[in-house]
Amino acid sequence: MQSKAVEGFMKGPINPNNFVLQLPANYAQTLHKPTASIVIPAGQTLQNFTTKANGSGALATFSLPPGVSYPVQIPAGVTLQTSSGHLYKVNVPVMVTQAPASNRILPQPIQHVMEPREQVAPQGAVASVAPSAVLQTIPPPAADTYTPAAPSTTLLHPSEPQPVPHQQHLFLGQGGALQPPGALQPQLTLPAVPQPPPLPTPAPVTPDSPGDDEFTLDGIEFSPQPLDMSQPSPFAAQLSSGQACGGQLGAGREEVGQDGGGSLPVNAGEAKAQLVEPAKLEMDLMRDFNYNDLEALQQLDGACDSTSEEEAEEEEVEGGAGADEDEFLGMINAEALKALQEAEGSSEDDGSSSDSDALDDAVEEVEEDPLNSGDDVSEQDVPDLFDTDNVVVCQYDKIHRSKNRWKFYLKDGVMCFGGKDYVFSKAVGEAEW
Amino acid sequence: MKIDCVCTSWYASVRTLRPDSLMEANNDVALDIIITNVVSVFRTRCHLNLRTIALEGSNVIYKPEVGKVLMKLRKPRITASIWSSGKIICTGATSEEEAKLGARRLARCLQKLGFKVKFTAFKVVNVLAVCTMPFHIHLIQFTKNNRPIASYEPELHPAASYRIKNLKATVQVFSTGSITVTGPNVRHVAMAVEQIYPLLFECKSTMR
């Protein structure tokens, strides 16, 4: 049961012809810097799109050349349209790749990414491609909270050249490491990317955020996109794992990230931007950015439980092992969507178990009575060990229990007892627990 | 007259409310209130994977048709129903303290299985106690005396049921003199016994 959103996607190599680039009207103006640095493998056609965009005042449409093989870099502000008709709006420079099935990435808070939907007029179901980074400049004092709301225009159009004293620099979150929203704090001190001066975008209402989104993929470098930084990106901190180095941008860059800065070329394996299915994005838009999409996606059994926010924050702060790695801001692998959902339940438990081990002594509970690890709550005195060689392998007719009296009606089995094997067609047993 | 709660260290004393009670000279008649069952609930505040508990836990019974796992503990002999939402109902304890201890042990077991459990919202929801009067009771007369509060339908159930509204307790009176009391906690149960003893004493039929 595959979502319709991904019906165009095949397991095999995706035909690049499926994608049609639609560029906004003023995209050309913003392109002068990135254009120079855009490197699209085997995409000589695309390199001309700047001129094309310049020529047309309206939306420019390009088709990816047939020879284009993945990964493909797509600068910000373009809209991708698949052959199936789905539209994906790229707000930040992304790298469209064909992700392996095992790579599960989730769209993280995308609500703000969806804002500039209106920018692209004709699209009905536009899902913004939520790449790793939404470039934003955030003034340090004010950047405590992430406000998903942002003027839509800001995302589309690069923010005007603000005299950004601080250089903030968002890391693209890609493929592998996904930082939980709690790790957004470091975003405040991200080094910014200098905005290209002639950007006619309206001043962002919300606090600036560095619009520099730069990531290096296999040596391919993306010059900083003058994306709008008006809204703090919840992705920002999360992107630290896939980090784009701002090295080429200039000096004075404080790189923030979980890994602590330094321009790190994104690992090829990690840097994958996936197209997000529109339905999923829309759903996520409504959520609080602190909302844990991973947990919201699937619960294998039982009703949706309200995982405490303290838990989520703990995980975020810890940068916890299992579950966090599987969370990815923005991109979900279209092909692996199903696999993601199935594996999610197990990953939750793995994450919870690893978290519990890690946090065992540290943060037990915030509630009334913390379960001290064995303090007053002693373990069961008699640990049951099933280190026995006496086993019965059989089928059962009925297993009955009354209080602590058990009765077993078994059939067709073999009992290994005292080193000897006994075969039976019927066996009756009684036991007291 | 004193009322003892067996199996608990709780001790309450009762004074006969009516000075002209038909009590004999010996006023020290010990009434043993035996708490047979304490039901409590608590929440782990985290989702529990029932399948994991069923496969890796010890002393568990998995009931997939209902969607819960029963885990039995030996030490405080309790049985807990565990739901995947993290709500756990703990039954079988014989005192409130034991119920809490057993619940914590249970949460500890779940924690060992790898779940991030938090022991929250522990509450004793029901206490069941039995008590035996030293006399038989005339149920018809008892029901007549306490008409609206007591109800007796011998064809349905051999006991007369007496609901104490302010205590939220229910007392079931049998003609043999045995009564069962259910209430939200032990204190209410004891108060209910105190309250109903004089009423029963009025309608006693024979001495044991």
Side-chain angles (χ1 to χ4, degrees), chain A residues 74-422:
Chain A
I74 298 179
V78 306
T79 302
L80 301 178
Q81 182 179 29
T82 68
S83 59
S84 58
H86 294 287
L87 294 160
Y88 297 95
K89 178 128 182 312
V90 180
N91 292 305
V92 295
V94 299
M95 174 74 64
V96 179
T97 62
Q98 186 180 349
S102 61
N103 189 14
R104 306 184 289 123
I105 34 189
L106 276 185
Q108 271 302 341
I110 310 181
Q111 56 276 25
H112 65 285
V113 182
M114 281 292 284
E115 316 276 1
R117 211 182 335 186
E118 54 203 70
Q119 286 291 337
V120 191
Q123 280 88 24
V126 174
S128 32
V129 177
S132 28
V134 174
L135 308 180
Q136 295 165 1
T137 48
I138 301 175
D144 280 358
T145 58
Y146 292 100
T147 54
S152 55
T153 58
T154 58
L155 273 187
L156 236 199
H157 306 286
S159 58
E160 62 184 2
Q162 320 244 344
V164 179
H166 45 270
Q167 304 248 309
Q168 296 194 353
H169 167 71
L170 295 182
F171 301 109
L172 287 179
Q174 294 153 1
L178 188 71
Q179 303 297 332
L184 293 179
Q185 295 301 328
Q187 175 184 2
L188 304 182
T189 60
L190 291 179
V193 175
Q195 311 272 344
L199 293 181
T201 50
V205 190
T206 55
D208 309 347
S209 42
D212 178 55
D213 177 32
E214 171 189 63
F215 70 104
T216 307
L217 178 66
D218 283 345
I220 298 171
E221 285 185 342
F222 221 90
S223 70
Q225 291 298 323
L227 283 187
D228 169 80
M229 338 294 188
S230 54
Q231 50 192 34
S233 165
F235 299 150
Q238 309 185 3
L239 308 180
S240 63
S241 60
Q243 294 171 2
C245 175
Q248 61 204 18
L249 287 186
R253 190 160 304 149
E254 326 159 5
E255 293 178 355
V256 170
Q258 305 290 335
D259 304 342
S263 38
L264 305 174
V266 175
N267 293 336
E270 285 186 343
K272 289 174 179 121
Q274 310 294 335
L275 292 175
V276 186
E277 55 164 342
K280 181 100 183 59
L281 285 176
E282 305 229 358
M283 177 180 74
D284 291 329
L285 286 186
M286 305 309 158
R287 300 280 161 81
D288 180 20
F289 72 88
N290 268 329
Y291 192 92
N292 192 339
D293 289 61
L294 189 61
E295 297 175 14
L297 267 186
Q298 191 80 359
Q299 291 234 347
L300 288 187
D301 52 351
C304 180
D305 180 59
S306 61
T307 304
S308 69
E309 288 184 355
E310 295 106 2
E311 262 183 358
E313 287 168 1
E314 289 165 9
E315 286 180 0
E316 297 155 13
V317 171
E318 302 282 335
D324 293 331
E325 288 173 357
D326 295 329
E327 297 171 352
F328 181 77
L329 294 171
M331 297 306 157
I332 191 171
N333 188 354
E335 292 101 347
L337 186 61
K338 277 193 61 98
L340 178 144
Q341 288 176 351
E342 287 163 5
E344 195 169 12
S346 59
S347 80
E348 267 189 60
D349 293 334
D350 297 339
S352 69
S353 59
S354 66
D355 282 335
S356 69
D357 294 338
L359 304 174
D360 198 1
D361 302 324
V363 181
E364 286 286 327
E365 284 163 349
V366 197
E367 263 70 18
E368 326 159 351
D369 298 326
L371 264 183
N372 310 328
S373 329
D375 239 347
D376 50 331
V377 185
S378 61
E379 317 169 5
Q380 285 293 340
D381 300 344
V382 181
D384 293 334
L385 294 177
F386 288 88
D387 269 349
T388 177
D389 292 330
N390 302 331
V391 286
V392 179
V393 182
C394 62
Q395 302 173 359
Y396 70 92
D397 275 330
K398 192 200 304 194
I399 306 280
H400 174 76
R401 173 192 72 91
S402 261
K403 292 216 172 176
N404 67 337
R405 286 199 62 85
W406 289 77
K407 289 196 176 137
F408 311 93
Y409 300 91
L410 310 172
K411 67 178 180 185
D412 302 336
V414 176
M415 171 169 70
C416 177
F417 184 74
K420 291 191 187 166
D421 284 346
Y422 306 86

Side-chain angles (χ1 to χ4, degrees), chain B residues 9-141:
Chain B
S9 53
W10 189 89
Y11 190 86
S13 67
V14 163
R15 302 284 172 261
T16 50
L17 300 175
R18 307 203 223 163
D20 56 307
S21 69
L22 299 179
M23 236 157 125
E24 275 75 10
N26 179 17
N27 286 335
D28 286 336
V29 174
L31 265 189
D32 292 335
I33 300 182
I34 303 163
I35 298 182
T36 55
N37 191 20
V38 174
V39 179
S40 59
V41 297
F42 71 97
R43 292 179 181 264
T44 62
R45 292 273 250 136
C46 80
H47 179 265
L48 300 174
N49 190 335
L50 294 187
R51 207 164 166 272
T52 309
I53 301 177
L55 291 175
E56 299 170 19
S58 52
N59 306 321
V60 289
I61 305 164
Y62 187 32
K63 293 196 176 241
E65 60 272 6
V66 192
K68 66 181 180 184
V69 166
L70 301 178
M71 185 182 282
K72 293 176 173 289
L73 256 59
R74 278 198 166 102
K75 207 48 190 320
R77 199 155 273 263
I78 56 168
T79 302
S81 299
I82 304 166
W83 272 267
S84 59
S85 65
K87 182 162 182 182
I88 298 182
I89 298 184
C90 206
T91 63
T94 54
S95 73
E96 288 184 354
E97 296 80 16
E98 201 176 274
K100 182 150 193 183
L101 175 66
R104 289 181 77 87
R105 285 239 174 103
L106 195 78
R108 183 88 188 108
C109 282
L110 291 178
Q111 199 177 52
K112 288 226 173 101
L113 283 177
F115 299 101
K116 286 185 68 179
V117 299
K118 304 183 181 181
F119 189 76
T120 71
F122 174 82
K123 186 174 189 291
V124 170
V125 291
N126 195 29
V127 173
L128 170 69
V130 297
C131 189
T132 307
M133 302 290 141
F135 43 83
H136 287 256
I137 301 168
H138 205 263
L139 287 181
I140 308 245
Q141 187 188 355

Side-chain angles (χ1 to χ4, degrees), chain B residues 144-192:
Chain B
K144 279 187 190 165
N145 292 351
N146 309 281
R147 189 47 64 106
I149 315 173
S151 77
Y152 177 45
E153 200 71 41
E155 293 179 358
L156 295 182
H157 191 57
S161 94
Y162 185 94
R163 284 188 191 277
I164 306 174
K165 212 172 173 192
N166 55 333
L167 295 176
K168 284 188 247 169
T170 304
V171 181
Q172 297 214 328
V173 184
F174 291 84
S175 59
T176 58
S178 299
I179 60 170
T180 77
V181 191
T182 66
N185 54 51
V186 175
R187 209 172 60 87
H188 283 53
V189 163
M191 285 160 59

